[in-house]
Amino acid sequence: MSATAALQPTLILVKPDGLKKSLTGNILTKLAETRMIIVGAKVVQVSRELAEAHYTHLKDKPFFGELVRYIQGEIYGADYRRVLAMVYRGEDAIRKVRDISGATNPEEADSTSIRGSYGRITTKGVYENVIHASSSVEDAEREIKLWFKPDELVFPIYPTKTVIREKITEKVWA
Ligand code: UDP
Ligand code: MG
């Protein structure tokens, strides 16, 4: 990657096991060392629809149902049915975050990586690997657009358009 490499955005999720194991601070510290900047963050209770859309590339795998339950946090109890979703941006960001994360299978991941340090394989065979990181420019764009609206990022990293909607019901503070 050249010194003039374009700034890449990437989606990072601290998965429910990462939250349950109190790894958020540790993960943010590792991300800070890469000198990327954060452009968006929120805590999300993951709907089945969002989970299935996020992992659509795996929908034919035998572990897909368990994977959807995992990312929804179904197996950890009500307090952990959530993920921390973040968008970071920087030079070569996708590779940098994948490197910090480690290999998909926690048993094969470098032992100093997040997945190698803190991941496990469940008795049902799912890789409970603490963190999600986009794996290509195309995946990052698809995933960021799936998880975030333009206004939830500090600046629009992809082209936007304005639409006028009528009769939108919105909850406001009482
Ligand atoms: N996964 C799994 N078993 C597999 C492959 C994937 O449990 O054999 C889970 C794992 O949690 C992984 C997620 O499905 O992080 C998405 O899989 P992908 O191949 O996209 O790996 P990633 O991009 O997360 O490294
Ligand atoms: Mg992937």
Side-chain angles (χ1 to χ4, degrees):
M1 192 64 65
S2 75
T4 54
L7 294 177
Q8 292 174 335
T10 187
L11 180 82
I12 300 162
L13 305 176
V14 180
K15 296 179 175 181
D17 55 319
L19 294 178
K20 179 147 198 196
K21 292 173 178 168
S22 296
L23 294 171
T24 305
N26 181 304
I27 291 168
L28 292 180
T29 300
K30 283 197 154 81
L31 292 172
E33 287 161 10
T34 67
R35 296 170 169 272
M36 297 178 299
I37 58 157
I38 190 165
V39 290
K42 61 178 177 177
V43 177
V44 183
Q45 282 187 315
V46 182
S47 66
R48 190 184 178 89
E49 186 188 22
L50 176 58
E52 290 181 352
H54 179 73
Y55 283 132
T56 186
H57 63 296
L58 298 170
K59 66 177 185 302
D60 296 329
K61 300 283 185 192
F63 56 83
F64 184 67
E66 281 303 319
L67 176 61
V68 166
R69 277 167 49 76
Y70 162 42
I71 198 69
Q72 288 193 275
E74 289 296 323
I75 49 190
Y76 308 106
D79 285 348
Y80 298 101
R81 275 188 208 124
R82 64 204 64 187
V83 304
L84 175 62
M86 300 179 285
V87 177
Y88 272 70
R89 187 167 180 258
E91 205 174 284
D92 205 13
I94 292 168
R95 185 194 58 77
K96 283 180 182 163
V97 184
R98 292 288 296 189
D99 282 355
I100 292 169
S101 302
T104 306
N105 180 340
E107 283 186 0
E108 291 171 3
D110 186 293
S111 57
T112 62
S113 68
I114 292 166
R115 289 168 165 182
S117 302
Y118 305 115
R120 67 169 192 143
I121 302 178
T122 68
T123 49
K124 294 201 164 122
V126 173
Y127 301 161
E128 233 185 44
N129 53 12
V130 179
I131 187 170
H132 167 82
S134 303
S135 55
S136 68
V137 171
E138 295 73 28
D139 279 354
E141 178 169 354
R142 187 187 77 83
E143 293 171 359
I144 290 167
K145 288 178 175 175
L146 184 63
W147 287 82
F148 287 86
K149 294 178 187 163
D151 283 345
E152 292 174 324
L153 303 177
V154 287
F155 57 91
I157 52 182
Y158 303 112
T160 60
K161 62 181 180 184
T162 302
V163 294
I164 299 169
R165 294 193 207 277
E166 288 174 27
K167 293 188 181 161
I168 291 281
T169 309
E170 185 186 6
K171 193 176 284 181
V172 297
W173 301 117

